[in-house]
Amino acid sequence: FPATGNINWNPDGKIGPAPVMKAGGTFDLGGLGDFERDQAFSYGAWIKTANNKGSGGIIARMDEKADYRGWDLWQNGAGFSVHIIQTWPTNAIKVTTQANVVRPGEWQHVLATYDGSKTPGGMRVYLNGWSQELTPLLDLVGNRLPQRYPLRIGASGSTKPPASPPDP
């Protein structure tokens, strides 16, 4: 898969060599992850973050230029957040974990699941296999998710540094 930006490789990843992605580093996975809003899907990654103060995209298929249409999983300071968006912020779902679940310097497996119900209650975030308590922050879903922006690891949309939709 094509990689762009600041990416190095650590031979001591959790399950083999792991990319070390700094601001602007991404992998473009193209057309993978093209889901409908009423379709169940899951996505996740092993991560090892340097701190629990910043925010950044972990995995996303999101088009910032089309009102952030798509979905994502991102580090939100000391927690994790998930969006499913048609247009931000008027037609979207957003949930976040409790704070203080991000452990800097430790490998953590983060998995987001969505059951297709079009509600925050249909979203789950698992950390190292344990379901996390979620706080729904937005519950406004419309009709469709499809968009043509590629699936990316390490960014939420464009090739600029990882970001997330602005808070409503």
Side-chain angles (χ1 to χ4, degrees), residues 41-88:
F41 59 96
S42 301
Y43 50 99
W46 281 100
I47 67 161
K48 183 178 181 182
T49 184
N51 66 65
N52 62 1
K53 300 194 181 347
S55 295
I58 297 169
I59 185 169
R61 183 159 181 170
M62 186 174 284
D63 187 349
E64 293 169 349
K65 293 178 182 171
D67 297 315
Y68 294 92
R69 182 176 302 125
W71 53 266
D72 69 357
L73 168 65
W74 58 287
Q75 179 183 341
N76 182 15
F80 297 102
S81 294
V82 176
H83 295 93
I84 295 179
I85 301 170
Q86 172 63 26
T87 55
W88 185 259

Side-chain angles (χ1 to χ4, degrees), residues 94-167:
K94 177 182 178 181
V95 296
T96 192
T97 65
Q98 303 296 310
N100 301 318
V101 298
V102 175
R103 302 282 182 242
E106 294 180 23
W107 282 105
Q108 294 180 285
H109 187 260
V110 185
L111 179 73
T113 67
Y114 173 63
D115 68 4
S117 66
K118 308 170 207 152
T119 67
M123 301 172 87
R124 298 278 183 269
V125 175
Y126 296 87
L127 186 58
N128 297 325
W130 295 93
S131 181
Q132 300 297 297
E133 184 175 337
L134 298 177
T135 302
L137 299 177
L138 196 60
D139 183 6
L140 304 166
V141 171
N143 293 325
R144 297 178 48 82
L145 284 176
Q147 38 78 33
R148 301 298 166 233
Y149 211 77
L151 174 62
R152 290 232 167 107
I153 296 175
S156 63
S158 68
T159 57
K160 65 183 183 181
S164 63
D167 286 328

Side-chain angles (χ1 to χ4, degrees), residues 16-36:
V20 178
M21 301 162 77
K22 306 246 175 164
T26 64
F27 285 97
D28 185 336
L29 304 182
L32 298 174
D34 191 11
F35 303 113
E36 300 288 337

